[in-house]
Every structure is written in C-alpha cells, then in structure tokens.
C-alpha cells in the first residue's frame, strides 16, 4: 500500500516529538483499535466514554506503525520503546494534520451540510465524481468535531475531488470545521426542524447551517435549496460572507438547477430538470422528490468542478442508498414476498414526511405499512411535531401504522383506530411481531431516529425473511 504520510512530514505538521523507533511512513489514520490496519498511525483520542491512550498497546499489537499520544499521558507507557509521536493534545494534532492535508491537496473540495440528506448527497457525489477522477469522501457520517479532521487527515495528496459532510447540533459548530475544509463548493441540502432542542426556531437552524459559507475559498460557490422558507436568510448570510456566486436549486421558477418533474419508475425515479438552462432527463435509482432534489444539487456541484453534465447525470444511475437511508430489500415469505424499506438511520419532521410520501406512492398488491419511531432532539416542540405527522400519514393512504416511543403517544391518540396497529414504549418484541404479520405483497417502511434502535429490528426482519435481492432504489 502506498504511503499516506511521510513520518517526518506528519510530525512537523502536528508539532509532534518523536519517541522511540520511528517508521519512515504511514499508510493510514485510525482512532479505533477494532479497525486499525498494519502500517497505520493510531491517534489516542479521548472520547466521552473511552480514552484512546488505554488502547495504545492493543493498537500496536494489531499492527499500528506509530501512536499519537498526549505529553501528559506519556508516563503511562513507562520504559516501553514503542514508536510514539508525542503532542500537547491529540485531537488538536489531528486537526493540524487535517489542515496540512488540505493545504497539499490540489483537487476540488465540496462541503455538504443540511437538516436532512447530507450523507445521501455526499454518497451521490462520491459515485458521480468517481467516474472522473480520484475521490476522497467522508466515511459513514463522519461529520463532527473529530470526524471532519479525521477525514481530512486521511485525504491522499493526489485527490482529484474531496467531499466532506459537515453536521452540527449547536450554533457555532460548523464554522471551525468548514474553516479546516475550505471548500470550493458549499452545499446546503435543506432546512428543517431538526435538533430544535438546541435552537429557538427553524430560522436559527438556517443561520447555523449558513455558517458553511464562512469557509468558502475566494471565488467559491454556494449551492442552496431555494424552495425552503429560510432561503432569504441563507442568501443574506452568503452575501455577508463575501460569496460571489450563489446557485439555487429546487422546483421554483428562477432556480439555477430546477426540477421540472419526477416520476416513479421501476428503477426508482425518472427525473426531468433544467440545469443552467440546459434540459436534462436522467434515471435515479432512488424514489422520492427529495432525492431528485438532492441529485440536482449534486449535478450542479459536479458541473462547478468541471465535470460534463450529461456524463454526470448518466453516472447517477450507479448510486446505491446507504443502509438505513432508503435501502430496499425484497423479503422471502412462506407464501410470497414483501418489500422492506429501511429508513432506520435518522428522522426529523422533514425527512419523515418525505419518506411517508414515497411509501404512499408505491404501487403494491398488498398493504402499505409504516413503522414510525420517535424523532429525537426536538425539544419543547416535540409533541406538536410528532402529532403533525398525522397529515402525511393520511395523505399517503396507509393501511397500517405502528408507533414506537413516548413522543409518538400524541400521534397514536390522533390516528384512526382502523389503521393504528399499536403504540409501544420501545422496540422490545417489535421485530418478532412484524415478522409474523407480514403478508404477500406488503410494503413495510421503518423510520425513526437512530437512538430508537430500529436498525436491529431491520436486521431481524432480514434474518427471519431472507432477502431475495437488495433493490437499488
């Protein structure tokens, strides 16, 4: 495997002091002994529950070439002559290495944030841009105070396209992260009432997302969902940040990247759009208007990075949804088949409404079943926002709805008795109940915030009813 960093270069970037026998180079960066590979540097990050310094010996036994440790913890290694890079603060050292990685990269950098769709959009960008060069993108949802610098530090010097997901739970979180990333393109997918427990209003969420403009390089471009009510706020923030070019995407007239129509297809969706006055027709292996909107932003970003728009649109057919983000599974039943839609990774009011619309649009000979869990981090607005889901449920004309969690209690009281399958405190026994009640032709969707542990329910359903195929859409 080729070197990611020369040891001397890495140490200089982090202001690190070598201790013990040093390798000449390292092949990767790790913060987890469960996944560390031979030749990598292990960063002993101190987390909320674990301190990486307690796992340095294990990392070395697993093949790590060097460990990055704090000066204050050096004494715990005694007389052991293992290769160590000693720094004042391990997380700060990783941030410095990330900044150095960004400085040496000559490729195009894209940063993605938003209340929903960040990871899906990032993965669309990864898929599309990989057709045109070497792509380095965030793993999973590495979008926080350690995930962003870790992703930066892992970026090879010959990267053609870097794609970074940037998240936040509180005001002020995005500014330092985007300051490290320094993107050429900053993309905001949408604004919705997520993390309202930490914000006074959705407008304040927009202001927090708009922090992404502060890190744009000179001459960089912002891409913003023009359909959201908070567009004027974002536009003003971009102007204040000195952004010269702001591109809007959406269904409204005047959008630079405009969605004309999206129709359900066997593959997922058939999309008609206009990109900078150029008409496009393309296939997207994902269902729902919200995904078509994300694809518009992806195409816009790709074009800004110099990619041919027709080739980029064609590449979208290769997108595969991440687990928990709309991935579909055809399940084998004793007397037929059922379709499982896995939306178990996360949920907020906006993404919940979009997912319910997708479920309602599916043509099926069986029942449309929704299993909905609590949407977390909504603060005092939570009861109201959960009860408001009654409207998209009614519009989707669902046959059966199961509700899980204390915040879903109000919605359970509002739903018609004939469609309410039950309201449960948690997921205990839920998988077994669902597995037993599925019938031929049913379509079942599971949607909730990650903390509700729906992912385990999805896996049990797949274990009980083996998957015929994992659908692309």
């Amino acid at each position: 495997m080729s070197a990611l960093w020369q040891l001397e270069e890495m140490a200089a970037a982090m202001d690190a002091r070598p201790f013990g026998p040093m390798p000449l180079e390292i092949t990767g960066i790790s913060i987890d002994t469960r996944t560390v590979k031979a030749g990598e540097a292990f960063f002993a990050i101190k987390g909320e529950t674990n301190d990486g310094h307690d796992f340095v010996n294990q990392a070395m036994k697993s093949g790590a070439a060097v460990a990055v440790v704090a000066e204050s913890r050096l004494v715990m290694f005694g007389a052991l002559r293992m290769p160590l890079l000693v720094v004042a603060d391990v997380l700060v050292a990783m941030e410095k290495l990330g900044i150095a990685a960004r400085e040496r990269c000559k490729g195009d950098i894209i940063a993605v944030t938003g209340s929903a769709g960040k990871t899906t959009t990032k993965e669309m960008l990864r898929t599309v841009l990989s057709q045109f060069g070497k792509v380095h993108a965030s793993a999973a949802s590495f979008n926080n105070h350690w995930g962003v610098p870790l992703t930066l530090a892992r970026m090879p010097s010959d990267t053609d396209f870097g794609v970074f997901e940037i998240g936040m739970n509180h005001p002020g979180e995005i500014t330092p992260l985007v300051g490290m990333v320094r993107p050429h393109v900053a993309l905001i997918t949408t604004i919705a009432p997520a993390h309202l427990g930490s914000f006074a209003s959705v407008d304040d969420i927009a202001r927090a997302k708009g922090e992404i403009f502060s890190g744009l390089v000179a001459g960089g471009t912002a891409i913003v969902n023009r359909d959201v009510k908070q567009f004027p706020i974002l536009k003003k923030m971009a102007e204040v940040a000195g952004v010269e070019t702001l591109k809007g995407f959406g269904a409204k007239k005047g959008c630079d990247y405009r969605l004309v129509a999206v129709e359900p297809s066997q593959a997922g969706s058939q999309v008609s759009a206009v990109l900078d006055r150029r008409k496009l027709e393309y296939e997207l292996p994902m269902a729902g208007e919200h995904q078509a909107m994300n694809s518009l932003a992806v195409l816009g970003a790709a074009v800004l990075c110099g990619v041919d728009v027709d080739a980029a649109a064609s590449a979208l057919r290769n997108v595969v949804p991440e687990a928990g983000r709309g991935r579909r599974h055809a399940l084998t039943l004793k007397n037929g088949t059922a379709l499982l839609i896995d939306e178990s990774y996360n949920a907020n009011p906006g993404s919940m409404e979009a997912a319910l619309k997708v479920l309602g649009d599916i043509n099926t000979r069986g029942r449309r079943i929704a299993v909905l869990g609590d949407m977390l981090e909504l603060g005092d607005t939570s009861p109201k926002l959960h009860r408001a889901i009654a409207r998209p449920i009614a519009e989707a004309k669902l046959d059966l709805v199961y509700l899980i969690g204390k915040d879903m209690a109000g919605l359970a009281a509002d739903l018609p008795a004939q469609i309410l399958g039950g309201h449960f405190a948690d997921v205990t026994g839920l998988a077994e109940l669902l597995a037993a009640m599925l019938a031929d032709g049913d379509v079942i969707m599971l949607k909730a915030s990650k903390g509700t542990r729906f992912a385990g329910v999805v896996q049990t359903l797949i274990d009980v009813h083996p998957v015929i195929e994992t659908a692309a859409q």
Side-chain angles (χ1 to χ4, degrees):
M1 183 178 291
S2 60
L4 176 65
W5 289 97
Q6 297 298 315
L7 210 291
E8 184 177 352
E9 175 190 23
M10 178 179 175
M14 301 189 302
D15 298 319
R17 175 170 64 87
F19 181 88
M22 286 290 110
L24 294 177
E25 59 191 28
I26 63 105
T27 57
I29 306 290
S30 176
I31 62 171
D32 190 338
T33 55
R34 295 169 296 182
T35 56
V36 66
K37 296 180 178 64
E40 293 186 336
F42 174 73
F43 279 67
I45 300 289
K46 188 179 188 306
E48 294 181 4
T49 56
N50 295 311
D51 187 339
H53 292 87
D54 297 329
F55 300 92
V56 168
N57 285 331
Q58 184 178 337
M60 290 300 175
K61 290 178 181 178
S62 298
V66 65
V68 182
V69 301
E71 183 81 48
S72 62
R73 304 300 302 276
L74 184 59
V75 66
M76 71 182 288
F77 301 107
L80 295 175
R81 296 293 292 173
M82 63 177 67
L84 302 175
L85 287 173
V86 185
V87 297
D89 182 286
V90 178
L91 180 57
V92 172
M94 191 164 71
E95 291 171 353
K96 290 179 178 179
L97 188 62
I99 291 170
R102 174 64 184 89
E103 289 176 348
R104 72 180 184 174
C105 179
K106 306 304 180 185
D108 291 300
I109 306 297
I110 303 170
V112 180
T113 193
S115 299
K118 293 185 295 296
T119 301
T120 299
T121 300
K122 180 254 298 180
E123 289 303 320
M124 283 189 193
L125 282 164
R126 186 204 297 270
T127 300
V128 169
L129 295 174
S130 65
Q131 306 297 309
F132 309 99
K134 185 174 181 178
V135 177
H136 176 74
S138 307
S141 292
F142 284 11
N143 61 21
N144 61 4
H145 66 288
W146 59 261
V148 171
L150 174 60
T151 303
L152 276 168
R154 288 173 166 174
M155 183 164 62
S157 58
D158 60 348
T159 295
D160 295 307
F161 305 101
V163 185
F164 294 83
E165 180 180 338
I166 301 181
M168 64 89 194
N169 293 318
H170 298 85
E173 285 186 74
I174 287 179
T175 297
L177 298 179
V178 76
M180 287 186 271
V181 173
R182 293 190 297 113
H184 299 96
V185 179
L187 194 165
I188 300 179
T189 59
T190 191
I191 303 298
H195 310 302
L196 264 179
S198 301
F199 295 90
S201 66
V202 178
D203 285 357
D204 284 345
I205 292 174
R207 294 183 184 97
K209 297 296 184 183
E211 293 174 24
I212 198 170
F213 304 139
S214 67
L216 269 173
V217 300
T221 302
I223 300 177
V224 176
N225 188 325
R226 189 163 181 169
D227 289 355
V228 299
K229 293 180 180 179
Q230 292 75 27
F231 175 74
I233 294 174
L234 297 174
K235 182 180 179 182
K236 181 64 177 179
M237 289 187 71
E239 292 172 354
V240 171
V243 177
E244 296 177 9
T245 306
L246 177 70
K247 296 283 191 177
F249 70 95
K252 292 182 177 179
K253 290 183 178 179
C255 287
D256 301 282
Y257 315 139
R258 184 167 64 88
L259 182 66
V260 176
V262 54
E263 298 293 337
S265 69
Q266 187 172 1
S269 300
Q270 189 65 34
V271 182
S272 300
V274 177
L275 228 77
D276 286 328
R277 300 180 182 177
R278 179 158 182 182
K279 293 181 179 180
L280 288 175
E281 300 276 345
Y282 58 91
E283 181 182 293
L284 183 66
M286 307 173 82
E289 183 178 295
H290 61 302
Q291 301 293 16
M293 288 288 194
N294 291 336
S295 73
L296 274 184
V298 166
L299 292 178
V303 169
L304 290 170
C305 292
V307 169
D308 176 75
V309 65
D310 290 317
S314 179
L316 280 168
R317 71 182 60 183
N318 300 317
V319 172
V320 177
E322 292 281 284
R325 294 180 171 91
R327 184 175 292 182
R328 299 185 179 191
H329 305 275
L331 304 181
T332 303
L333 307 181
K334 287 183 178 180
N335 298 306
T337 62
L339 179 64
L340 167 64
I341 304 176
D342 177 12
E343 287 276 2
S344 62
Y345 186 81
N346 212 346
N348 61 49
S351 66
M352 186 73 81
E353 182 171 352
L356 286 166
K357 186 178 188 308
V358 168
L359 178 59
D361 287 342
I362 290 178
N363 290 321
T364 178
R365 63 184 182 278
R367 300 169 295 177
R368 295 182 185 88
I369 305 167
V371 185
L372 310 178
D374 282 350
M375 302 177 292
L376 306 178
E377 299 182 19
L378 295 179
D380 294 340
T381 63
S382 186
K384 177 182 177 181
L385 292 173
H386 279 81
R387 296 185 82 146
I389 300 171
R391 178 186 57 79
I393 287 176
E395 291 174 350
K397 296 181 171 59
L398 303 184
D399 298 289
L400 198 55
V401 179
Y402 292 91
L403 302 175
I404 291 84
K406 63 180 181 63
D407 290 335
M408 284 291 181
L411 177 60
D414 290 350
L415 290 185
Q418 63 268 27
I419 70 166
L420 181 62
H423 174 235
F424 307 90
D426 54 42
V427 297
T428 303
L430 179 64
E432 292 75 13
L433 183 155
L434 297 176
M437 55 77 65
L438 283 176
D440 180 42
D442 284 349
V443 179
I444 182 169
M445 181 189 73
L446 282 77
K447 177 78 172 172
S449 288
K450 189 176 181 179
T452 59
R453 299 186 292 119
F454 267 33
V457 178
V458 169
Q459 188 57 54
T460 299
L461 287 174
I462 291 173
D463 291 341
V464 174
H465 300 296
V467 173
I468 301 171
E469 62 176 311
T470 299
Q473 67 271 28

